[in-house]
Every structure is written in C-alpha cells, then in structure tokens.
Amino acid sequence: MCGIVGYIGDKDALPSLLDGLKRLEYRGYDSAGVALMDSSTLTVTKRIGKVSELEKEFAGREAKQTLGIGHTRWATHGEPSDINAHPHMDEANAIALIHNGIIENYAAIRTKMEQAGHIFRSATDTEALVHLIEEMKNIFGDLETAVRLALRQVDGTYGIAVISSYEPDKIIVARKGSPLILGIGDGEFFVASDAAAIIHHTRNVVYLSDGEIAVLTRHSSEIKTIDNVDIEKRVEEITFDLEQIEKGGYEHFMIKEIMEQPETLRNAMRGRVLLESGDVKLSGLREVLPVLENARRIIITACGTSFHAALVGEYMLEQFGHLPVEVEYASEFRYRDPIVNPGDVVFLISQSGETADTLAALREARQKGAAVLGICNVVGSTIARESQGGVYIHAGPEIGVASTKAFTSQLVVLSLITILIARQRGLSEEAGREMGRALLALPEQVEAILKNTDHIKAVAERFKDSTNALYLGRGYNFPVALEGALKLKEISYIHAEGYPAAEMKHGPIALIDENMPVIIIAPKDNTYEKIVSNVQEVKARKGRVIAIVNDDDRTLEGMAEYVIRVPRTLPCFAPILNIIPLQLLAYYIAVQRGCNVDQPRNLAKSVTVE
C-alpha cells in the first residue's frame, strides 16, 4: 500500500527519489519522506500530505547527495502526521528505515526496547524495528548482520530499505510479503516497491522473493537469504512503456483507463481465441490442463473488484463447465479453516498480484494440497510467481485506485478459462465458436458505448448531490450491481449498495423514496420480465430509475427516468458491456462533486497489508 523508492550511484539522489514518489502517488498515501546520505551525515525530511509538500522543503537546495531512500505512507499504526511519517530513525539518528507492511509483534518488540532504554518518538509499528536494528548493531557491529538478526525476530510482513551513517555507501533491503524490486542501471542501483517508480531509469530488474535480503553498494549487489545463504537471481525486463503510466492528455488516469478498454480487451484475448475450432489457447495453463479436466471443484478467491469478477466467473463456469464453483473473499478464506482437498483447483484473482489477503489464501490452499492458479495483471508479481500456472490479463499498468480496465480484462480471461474447461467437458465446437465470436465483438461494442458519454454526463449532473444509491441486477448482472455500487462509493463518497434485484423487497425497498436513485441493469435475457417487475416496484415507491438496457429495448423507456443503452451480446458476456456506463457514471459524478478521482481518500491501489 505504501511506496518505497531508493537510489545509490554517482548522481544526485533527490530528483530520482521525488520523481519516484510522485509515480507511486496512485497507490494511496497520507505522508511522504526521504532520507539522504552524504559522506558522513544522514538527514531525514518528512511531511504529512502530498509529495508536493515534501518537495517544498528542498527549495533552493544546492547539495548533491548520491544515496537516499524515500517513502509514501498509508497509515496503519498511528494517525497521519509528520512524526509518524517515514523514514524512522534510531536514537542516535544514525540509522534510517522505511517499511511497507505490518510488524504484528511490534508491541512486544517495543516493550523490550523500552526496557533496554530506547526512547520512541512515534506511534508506528515501524519504529520498533529500527530500534531493534540499532540494538543488534550495538551487539554485532555491522549493519547487514544487524538487519538480518532483527528481521528474524519479526512476525508480520515487510518490505524495508535501511541506510546508515555507520556504513554510508550501502543500502540494505529485505522482503517478506511486501513487494520489492531492484533496478539495475549503469553504475547505479534503484529500489522500488513498484516498477512504475523506476522504469524511466532502467528496465532491468530483479524481483526479491520472501525471506531475501539485498546489500547494494555503488558498484555491486549481493542477494542472500535472511539466514545468510548467498543466492543468484535472474535479471528480468520490465515490459510496459513509460507512456502507459502517463495521463496521455486525459484529466485523470481513471477516465484514461476507462477509454483504454477496447484495446485492453483485445490484448486480453489476442492470440487466445481459436475461432475455427471453437477452442482457446492459454499457454499459462498448458501444464495443468489434466488437473483442470479432472477437477472436482473450483474455488475462486479474491478481494474487492476482483471478487466481483470472480462471481461472474462462478456463473459462467457452472453454466458451461458443469463444475461446482465457490467464490470466497480472500480476507476470510484462511481464517475459517476452509475445506480444501487434493483435486480442488483454486484460482486467485489480483490485479497487482501482491494483494496480501489473496496471497495468504494462495498459500493456505497450496498447503492443503489444491492446485493454485493465478489471474494477475502485473508480470513478475508474487502471486504470479507462486502459482502453479495462470493467465495474465494484459491490461497494462492500472494507475487509478478504482479498478476499471482490470475488471473487464479479468472477465475476459475468466470467459476464456470457461471455454477452455467447457470444451474439455462436452461443450460443442459450434457453441465454442459462438462464444468466441461474441468475445471478439466486445471491443467494438465497448467503443460504441464510449462514443456516447454526453448522456451519461447529464445523468451524473442530475444525481451528483444524492446521498444514497441502490444498484440492482439479476443473474450475471448481480455482480455488476455490486461493482457499480463499489465504483460510486469509492470515488464519489456517496453511499451505494448493490443487491440481487429480487432481494430488494427483503429490506432495501424500505430505503426507496423520491430522492433515491435506483440503477437497474436490465439486459434482455431470461430474467428480463422479472427485472421489469422490479422497475415497477421501484416506481410505485417514487424511486428514480436509471436503467441500463440493450439498444433495441423500448419497454423501459416509459418506466425509467433515464435509459442508458448498451449493445446486445451473449448473457454471459453482458457484464463486460454493462459495467462500462456504470464506470462512467461514477467517474462523472465524482468529478462534478470535486472529488480526487484517482486517489480517493483512505484507499490504496495495492493492498499489501491484512
């Protein structure tokens, strides 16, 4: 959730640190800070608020310091403040540390350090670790050993970077459960929690794995385990381009990413749909095809938007693959001792591939003997590397905190997996071709929706001052209702809830009055007549109906106050089209309310803490 960046080389470190922190702003944060080292002095500067506030502290600076670390913090322990911001220092102001993750046994460490005479300045869990490193340094002498031995006493997750005036030409980094990458330049090294922070400097990176520690000097890097065993790591190449993480002329990343969806859908299915035979090709699942063919049950686990995609996947896999499918919140999965057996297949869905709860679910499922398969966007992410197989969604970097293009790409990949499994389990060649043709038509259909945004802007203007909203859908479109409501509440701060339309009369109907916008997803499928009845029930209570309908539907024109039209597709693929106007509606409402669309309050892009 927080952001880490570091530099060691011959150039001035500060510009790289500040630029990297700005490129990490999309992850969500409440404060920022940097630690800089010259030949003998370690200085820390940190401020609550945006990186721009931190940058002001360096106005007129002339010094050149060629080693430093920087951090953006999303508060867990201790409120947002200058004191609680990172980096944190030891009592002698000789060691500076930045940290992503949570030290679960920090209270015990803090008590032990206070009993040893250490004085704490902040309310954070991180400061306990820097004092523990200081204690180990006083006992064992060198910084690397101090970091290693301190980390062996830590329960929880961490991605850390440490610098010290005791050893002023060194950065020590370590990882357990929180992503860290090393960037390899020409006579320089970079550290980051996200490739976006360093791609404009180098494409050559090493991904640290859990339990690994790296020691960087100006001309060398050494990687070992926390138990002091040297290891060799493969250098990999970042595959996305710098312009993909720029706004490209759009006002916000979110609207840019909504508008990119025709192309990201094409990327998600490019080379994978074999129309002639009605099959699909997913290279990342080739080695586990026998496991999929013989699966007794499929479990899909995810969080947030990815959970909503998983629900659509459940409907598809059960309808066409004739397999029992369960969808689990990853945050609940491992804490209820789930019944998982050999023969089960567990799919993990995560845009970042670093979501802490989903990663924990992966490890729980693997321990119980299930096959674990990832659906991720970020190449080289932890979930991608720890899965037995999987599929990348190829959506490109998603910077906006509220997921849009990743959601629709996840739905495409789940559709491809459904066809793959269904063809193994009796789906006819012609049915496979029909589904393939419908998938390939989706990008142009999304383009058609995106060409007609003025009407959605007008709807947004009408309802921007609402305090509550209700989203209703049936069948495949119940998860769309959940996702539409999530988008609105995430970025506009309007309270919104999604429900199966039939459940409205079991409680939510009590909320409906003349001020309540009710967004009803009503494509012409086998639930259409029922959803029309739900519209009439809302109208009878004077609710304000916004209906998402197929472009050839005239039935709801006289019932709904506003009608938003989308092209028709197979019912199983309708969520990919029906979510587009709901993404736009949330975006335009949030903009008209003056909200920070790309960085909504209290949220983070990659949730790497539990």
Side-chain angles (χ1 to χ4, degrees):
M1 300 177 79
C2 309
I4 280 177
V5 63
Y7 174 82
I8 183 169
D10 295 323
K11 301 174 185 173
D12 187 7
L14 183 64
S16 294
L17 299 181
L18 292 175
D19 183 68
L21 292 178
K22 289 176 183 177
R23 294 182 186 277
L24 294 174
E25 286 186 300
Y26 77 94
R27 295 169 65 95
Y29 71 108
D30 49 59
S31 56
V34 298
L36 294 164
M37 177 78 67
D38 58 24
S39 59
S40 60
T41 305
L42 175 61
T43 58
V44 167
T45 306
K46 50 187 184 177
R47 291 291 177 269
I48 189 173
K50 298 297 182 183
V51 174
S52 57
E53 294 301 311
L54 175 68
E55 193 172 24
K56 291 175 185 176
E57 300 297 317
F58 296 99
R61 168 182 174 270
E62 296 181 358
K64 178 183 176 182
Q65 293 151 302
T66 56
L67 185 156
I69 53 177
H71 189 268
T72 52
R73 176 181 187 250
W74 188 88
T76 55
H77 297 69
E79 65 182 10
S81 68
D82 289 351
I83 292 295
N84 289 332
H86 294 217
H88 288 287
M89 303 186 78
D90 67 334
E91 281 184 80
N93 293 329
I95 301 172
L97 177 147
I98 54 179
H99 166 228
N100 292 352
I102 291 179
I103 307 300
E104 294 177 0
N105 62 334
Y106 84 96
I109 294 173
R110 178 169 182 147
T111 298
K112 182 179 179 181
M113 292 299 99
E114 287 176 333
Q115 289 173 347
H118 292 258
I119 305 298
F120 282 71
R121 304 175 178 117
S122 77
T124 68
D125 57 328
T126 300
E127 192 182 359
L129 179 54
V130 75
H131 284 290
L132 181 58
I133 291 172
E134 178 187 24
E135 186 77 4
M136 295 297 102
K137 171 71 171 63
N138 292 339
I139 297 172
F140 295 99
D142 71 285
L143 186 64
E144 178 194 331
T145 300
V147 172
R148 282 196 306 101
L149 295 181
L151 292 177
R152 290 176 67 174
Q153 301 179 51
V154 165
D155 295 330
T157 59
Y158 54 79
I160 64 167
V162 182
I163 61 175
S164 172
S165 57
Y166 296 128
E167 300 179 32
D169 292 313
K170 186 178 292 183
I171 300 179
I172 298 175
V173 299
R175 171 215 162 121
K176 179 185 175 185
S178 194
L180 272 183
I181 62 175
L182 310 179
I184 303 169
D186 184 10
E188 57 190 0
F189 291 95
F190 303 86
V191 179
S193 53
D194 187 316
I198 61 174
I199 186 176
H200 53 303
H201 297 295
T202 181
R203 287 183 175 275
N204 297 319
V205 298
V206 170
Y207 296 95
L208 287 188
S209 298
D210 282 357
E212 293 179 350
I213 186 169
V215 181
L216 306 177
T217 67
R218 298 182 193 280
H219 304 292
S220 68
S221 63
E222 182 182 15
I223 303 174
K224 58 181 65 178
T225 69
I226 197 171
D227 295 319
N228 204 28
V229 177
D230 291 334
I231 53 177
E232 294 289 331
K233 300 286 288 187
R234 182 163 58 96
V235 177
E236 302 185 43
E237 184 178 358
I238 299 172
T239 55
F240 63 85
D241 295 321
L242 183 60
E243 53 265 29
Q244 290 181 274
I245 57 173
E246 304 289 352
K247 289 182 182 175
Y250 288 96
E251 185 179 358
H252 300 100
F253 282 111
M254 184 176 178
I255 189 63
K256 172 179 178 280
E257 288 158 6
I258 290 172
M259 294 298 179
E260 286 175 346
Q261 286 176 107
E263 187 59 26
T264 55
L265 294 181
R266 291 187 181 99
N267 291 341
M269 65 182 84
R270 181 171 284 116
R272 293 170 166 175
V273 179
L274 307 178
L275 204 54
E276 185 174 329
S277 62
D279 292 313
V280 300
K281 179 178 70 175
L282 296 171
S283 299
L285 298 181
R286 184 187 300 117
E287 299 299 322
V288 295
L289 282 178
V291 176
L292 287 172
E293 187 173 1
N294 297 306
R296 301 190 320 166
R297 178 179 61 149
I298 289 177
I299 300 170
I300 311 175
T301 184
C303 300
T305 287
S306 297
F307 178 82
H308 300 154
L311 290 173
V312 178
E314 176 186 22
Y315 288 19
M316 284 193 290
L317 284 163
E318 289 194 339
Q319 178 181 350
F320 296 103
H322 306 297
L323 267 170
V325 180
E326 297 179 20
V327 176
E328 300 267 6
Y329 279 111
S331 55
E332 293 291 324
F333 183 74
R334 69 171 175 148
Y335 291 108
R336 61 175 191 82
D337 193 21
I339 298 174
V340 180
N341 298 302
D344 291 339
V345 173
V346 179
F347 279 97
L348 300 302
I349 308 179
S350 167
Q351 186 282 137
S352 67
E354 303 291 352
T355 309
D357 290 312
T358 310
L359 183 56
L362 181 154
R363 292 166 177 166
E364 178 76 10
R366 186 175 59 201
Q367 184 179 2
K368 290 178 177 289
V372 292
L373 306 173
I375 299 174
C376 298
N377 189 32
V378 179
V379 175
S381 59
T382 304
I383 290 174
R385 286 184 286 123
E386 293 196 13
S387 298
Q388 293 168 244
V391 186
Y392 285 117
I393 67 173
H394 295 310
E398 187 178 62
I399 306 301
V401 167
S403 180
T404 52
K405 65 178 182 176
F407 177 70
T408 51
S409 292
Q410 287 168 352
L411 292 181
V412 166
V413 164
L414 286 164
S415 302
L416 295 171
I417 292 171
T418 296
I419 297 172
L420 178 73
I421 293 175
R423 290 285 284 126
Q424 290 180 316
R425 301 175 70 88
L427 184 74
S428 70
E429 183 177 308
E430 179 50 41
R433 280 198 293 266
E434 181 186 19
M435 294 177 78
R437 284 192 294 268
L439 276 175
L440 293 172
L442 288 171
E444 286 190 11
Q445 291 177 313
V446 171
E447 285 175 345
I449 299 171
L450 294 174
K451 288 177 181 176
N452 295 288
T453 59
D454 288 345
H455 178 52
I456 299 173
K457 286 182 184 178
V459 177
E461 177 64 33
R462 177 65 188 83
F463 292 102
K464 64 180 173 60
D465 295 321
S466 299
T467 55
N468 297 281
L470 187 61
Y471 287 69
L472 302 176
R474 283 177 177 261
Y476 280 106
N477 291 291
F478 160 50
V480 179
L482 293 174
E483 176 62 12
L486 178 63
K487 288 285 94 63
L488 186 69
K489 72 179 78 170
E490 279 182 313
I491 63 171
S492 75
Y493 316 137
I494 294 173
H495 175 251
E497 297 297 335
Y499 275 89
E503 288 296 306
M504 175 182 65
K505 52 187 170 290
H506 295 285
I509 199 167
L511 300 173
I512 295 174
D513 60 19
E514 66 276 8
N515 298 313
M516 170 74 86
V518 181
I519 298 89
I520 299 181
I521 305 147
K524 281 202 168 179
D525 57 20
N526 62 356
T527 68
Y528 181 74
E529 296 304 324
K530 297 294 185 182
I531 206 85
V532 170
S533 297
N534 296 134
V535 172
Q536 292 169 331
E537 290 169 347
V538 173
K539 291 295 292 181
R541 278 98 184 149
K542 299 183 180 180
R544 315 292 295 278
V545 176
I546 304 166
I548 310 297
V549 304
N550 291 139
D551 48 15
D552 59 350
D553 182 1
R554 298 293 178 267
T555 302
L556 288 176
E557 277 189 342
M559 299 183 193
E561 185 172 347
Y562 292 95
V563 170
I564 300 173
R565 301 188 181 280
V566 299
R568 190 187 288 243
T569 185
L570 295 179
C572 57
F573 302 148
I576 298 171
L577 300 179
N578 293 335
I579 193 58
I580 305 297
L582 301 186
Q583 293 172 347
L584 290 165
L585 183 65
Y587 171 77
Y588 290 127
I589 286 176
V591 168
Q592 291 169 18
R593 288 167 66 91
C595 299
N596 186 339
V597 173
D598 287 335
Q599 298 169 37
R601 69 188 182 203
N602 301 333
L603 296 180
K605 182 62 181 174
S606 179
V607 184
T608 56
V609 296
E610 292 187 60

